[in-house]
Amino acid sequence: MKLADLPLKVKVKIPTGREYEQPTGLFINNEFVYPKQKKTFDVISPTNEESITSVYEALEEDVDIAVEAANAAYPRWSTSPPAVRAKVLYKLADLIDENADLLAEIETFDNGKSLMNSKGDVALTAAYFRSCAGWCDKILGNLINTGATHLNYTQRVPLVCGQIIPWNFPILMLSWKLGPVLASGSTTVLKSAESTPLSALYVGKLLVEAGMPKGVVNIISGFGNPAGAAIASHPKLEKVAFTGSTAVGRKIMKAAAESNLKKVTLELGGKSPNIVFNDADIDRTIQNLVMAIFYNSGEVCCAGSRVLIQSGVYDEVLAKFKKAAESIKVGNPFDPETFMGAQASEIQLSKILNYIESGKGQGAKILTGGQRCQGKGFFLQPTIFTDVKDDMKIVKEEIFGPVVSIIKFDTVEEAIALANNTEYGLAAGIHTSNINQAIHVSNKINAGTVWINTYNDFNPMVPFGGFHSSGIGREMGEEVFHEYTQCKAVRIKLSLPGTKL
Ligand code: NAP
Ligand code: MG
């Protein structure tokens, strides 16, 4: 961190040759502004380990200013006609589509993920904003009949929110946070992750073009401490939504409890089981296993990081999965053929490598991978462990990288017990051609999402979130609007002719 005279917009050249103007300030009241102390921090590209630019850092006093802006915007936005909010969201979705190539390249440069992955994220971002546009006039209360003497109804009252997002899906997680804010009439201060602030700031520019009134969404770059912590404990925020590690999720909840008991939603880590039964369509399943653990370089909260294979197909699945992992193209993320780009940061890469060492140290065997790729950038081989035991760290803890443990089982009941043997409960995969078996196992599994014969398969209408240590609350679908509003009940005593008191 240093004091600097960084302009509020800088020219950035992406390795594809594209040049664009990157905002660097804090996005408050529809303007990019300097923070009070004008501190900046470097944004490193995991693709070449070089600085892309610096951006301005929000400190506590800047969080206060952003929170004031969100509170000031609330009275008008929260009572605006739904069609006004829908218009902003539809326009924002169109702008995301129009800028899709640029946004995907920014995301790849900043996060390191393959362009193939970034393009998918940007398409899902536009789709989610569009879906939220359709929800604006469907966030309804109830009329409750308690007899002729009273009229009762409920209203969904929007909230002034704080939101903290991670670095693994910067723009997509931003859309999961901002979509329901804009649709419900809530307002927000959103903090991006310190290692990936660029796409969020660019979306700030698009929000202005989309016609969003000032102060409704404020976007700040900064560190977990102090900016994230200031959001979690802020007395003038009514809700905090967080996506990230379970450890920080606990801190957020504590800060919310100790400040003003703001509403909390947490989307946290996982150690999701991916179960292959003897009767699965093996070739299709292999594709799903690959998508489950190697998509986004394994930096996915719901990654299928524990693969449970039934004994009848164990050898075949293992051999085919190994072959598939070895044929994954890892490297230059701007190459359109690359499936796995770089890990998002040096810290993350070394954390994953430490887990690999721990697995080897505890006696697990590497079937393939396990090494950092040569050259610049934080690239890692897709890695498969066999001969694992349930108490090994690589089986119990979230690695958040392209590393998977394989476990063999015989019976359905054994698979269910293994699947549920975790503190987490974010997702699970079931691969079988027997629908009765699929539903039976799904009913028994403790997870917020169960994918059957698919994996990492999202849709804006389908809610997502965790059981147990994987979190509280849901994103997307209809469910999310309960998280971004609070219920007000109104009960009116009537004096109608013919009604008894
Ligand atoms: P993290 O610390 O939980 O970061 C997530 C977000 O929370 C970031 O914006 C971070 O800011 C912020 N933050 C950190 N400390 C905070 C605090 N005390 N109060 C409020 N906000 C705070 O995650 P990480 O350090 O980037 O990654 C660590 C591990 O978390 C990963 O290895 C992975 O296991 C897990 N993770 C899970 C998800 C998920 O989707 N479930 C996503 C990312 C990471 P900074 O950017 O400044 O740290
Ligand atoms: Mg962190």
Side-chain angles (χ1 to χ4, degrees):
M1 284 183 285
K2 58 193 180 226
L3 291 171
D5 282 319
L6 176 73
L8 289 169
K9 278 183 207 160
V10 293
K11 278 221 154 55
V12 167
K13 190 163 185 190
I14 302 175
T16 52
R18 186 196 292 271
E19 265 197 326
Y20 78 102
E21 271 196 344
Q22 171 66 48
T24 61
L26 309 181
F27 179 71
I28 299 176
N29 272 327
N30 275 7
E31 284 178 22
F32 289 97
V33 297
Y34 296 108
K36 286 274 174 214
Q37 292 195 29
K38 284 197 165 184
K39 273 191 169 176
T40 64
F41 62 93
D42 250 1
V43 183
I44 306 292
S45 177
T47 65
N48 58 11
E49 305 178 42
E50 284 166 20
S51 170
I52 301 173
T53 176
S54 295
V55 294
Y56 279 103
E57 180 194 349
L59 301 179
E60 262 179 73
E61 57 208 6
D62 306 302
V63 172
D64 285 342
I65 294 168
V67 170
E68 283 307 321
N71 273 282
Y74 179 86
R76 239 182 111 188
W77 184 246
S78 60
T79 52
S80 60
V84 168
R85 304 197 298 272
K87 196 173 169 195
V88 171
L89 274 158
Y90 278 126
K91 179 73 183 162
L92 180 61
D94 288 347
L95 288 167
I96 299 282
D97 279 340
E98 282 163 29
N99 291 277
D101 288 344
L102 169 62
L103 287 166
E105 288 177 24
I106 294 173
E107 200 78 328
T108 289
F109 201 20
D110 195 6
N111 165 280
K113 65 173 75 191
S114 69
L115 203 52
M116 193 193 279
N117 286 185
S118 293
K119 284 185 174 173
D121 294 356
V122 172
L124 282 172
T125 296
Y128 188 52
F129 283 138
R130 212 162 268 132
S131 171
C132 284
W135 277 108
C136 292
D137 58 5
K138 295 167 196 73
I139 304 168
L140 305 175
N142 287 321
L143 190 70
I144 301 161
N145 185 356
T146 61
T149 58
H150 289 78
L151 177 67
N152 310 270
Y153 63 89
T154 58
Q155 286 171 295
R156 305 291 333 172
V157 182
L159 300 163
V160 182
C161 306
Q163 301 176 308
I164 302 168
I165 58 170
W167 41 260
N168 55 336
F169 288 97
I171 196 169
L172 185 60
M173 290 304 100
L174 169 137
S175 76
W176 288 15
K177 297 283 181 282
L178 297 190
V181 159
L182 291 166
S184 63
S186 297
T187 62
T188 193
V189 175
L190 176 141
K191 187 191 91 64
S192 56
E194 123 226 346
S195 50
T196 53
L198 300 185
S199 57
L201 293 174
Y202 204 87
V203 171
K205 177 175 127 72
L206 299 182
L207 282 163
V208 178
E209 286 177 41
M212 181 191 74
K214 69 176 192 175
V216 170
V217 169
N218 304 279
I219 299 172
I220 58 173
S221 315
F223 290 77
N225 243 323
I231 287 175
S233 63
H234 207 288
K236 290 191 180 162
L237 293 175
E238 300 173 289
K239 176 207 164 82
V240 59
F242 168 81
T243 300
S245 61
T246 297
V248 174
R250 288 197 167 94
K251 289 190 193 169
I252 301 279
M253 200 164 177
K254 195 164 172 229
E258 286 175 352
S259 52
N260 60 347
L261 277 170
K262 56 178 69 62
K263 193 174 168 112
V264 177
T265 49
L266 304 173
E267 204 263 273
L268 308 174
K271 195 72 194 175
S272 299
N274 206 0
I275 312 172
V276 185
F277 287 102
N278 285 339
D279 60 1
D281 173 336
I282 299 297
D283 291 335
R284 203 170 133 192
T285 298
I286 299 298
Q287 283 175 23
N288 287 325
L289 299 186
V290 167
M291 277 303 287
I293 189 64
F294 300 128
Y295 182 75
N296 210 49
S297 312
E299 291 171 350
V300 182
C301 50
C302 49
S305 50
R306 291 185 297 141
V307 170
L308 316 181
I309 308 175
Q310 201 163 18
S311 40
V313 288
Y314 184 85
D315 291 339
E316 182 188 356
V317 171
L318 206 59
K320 288 188 170 168
F321 189 29
K322 176 177 188 282
K323 196 170 164 217
E326 285 168 355
S327 66
I328 286 174
K329 187 157 182 192
V330 188
N332 176 10
F334 292 103
D335 178 340
E337 303 291 308
T338 297
F339 182 70
M340 255 177 60
Q343 307 307 135
S345 65
E346 192 162 17
I347 296 176
Q348 192 56 27
L349 176 68
S350 64
K351 188 180 153 190
I352 302 165
L353 288 168
N354 282 340
Y355 272 112
I356 292 173
E357 285 313 305
S358 145
K360 289 196 277 190
Q362 289 192 306
K365 284 211 181 93
I366 289 189
L367 183 69
T368 185
Q371 301 286 330
R372 180 179 180 171
C373 303
Q374 297 217 315
K376 277 211 150 189
F378 309 130
F379 298 93
L380 186 64
Q381 294 171 339
T383 301
I384 303 177
F385 271 109
T386 60
D387 294 33
V388 300
K389 300 219 165 50
D390 247 19
D391 58 351
M392 288 180 181
K393 269 176 69 154
I394 55 165
V395 179
K396 292 193 98 61
E397 295 178 18
E398 180 175 52
I399 298 175
F400 223 64
V403 181
V404 62
S405 293
I406 310 286
I407 300 157
K408 194 184 208 173
F409 70 91
D410 290 311
T411 67
V412 174
E413 297 320 310
E414 202 186 328
I416 293 166
L418 284 165
N420 285 335
N421 187 16
T422 170
E423 66 164 307
Y424 295 110
L426 195 52
I430 299 170
H431 306 277
T432 172
S433 52
N434 177 343
I435 187 68
N436 295 309
Q437 173 159 274
I439 300 292
H440 169 68
V441 175
S442 169
N443 287 343
K444 296 276 180 185
I445 283 189
N446 302 320
T449 293
V450 177
W451 280 297
I452 297 173
N453 294 330
T454 185
Y455 206 97
N456 274 340
D457 188 345
F458 292 92
N459 185 285
M461 289 299 293
V462 182
F464 181 76
F467 282 22
H468 306 155
S469 299
S470 291
I472 296 170
R474 293 292 176 269
E475 303 199 91
M476 300 198 292
E478 188 173 1
E479 298 274 331
V480 74
F481 297 104
H482 288 263
E483 315 287 359
Y484 280 88
T485 54
Q486 56 189 333
C487 175
K488 180 186 280 182
V490 181
R491 178 158 163 84
I492 307 165
K493 180 83 186 282
L494 301 173
S495 303
L496 300 178
T499 54
K500 288 190 186 145
L501 288 177

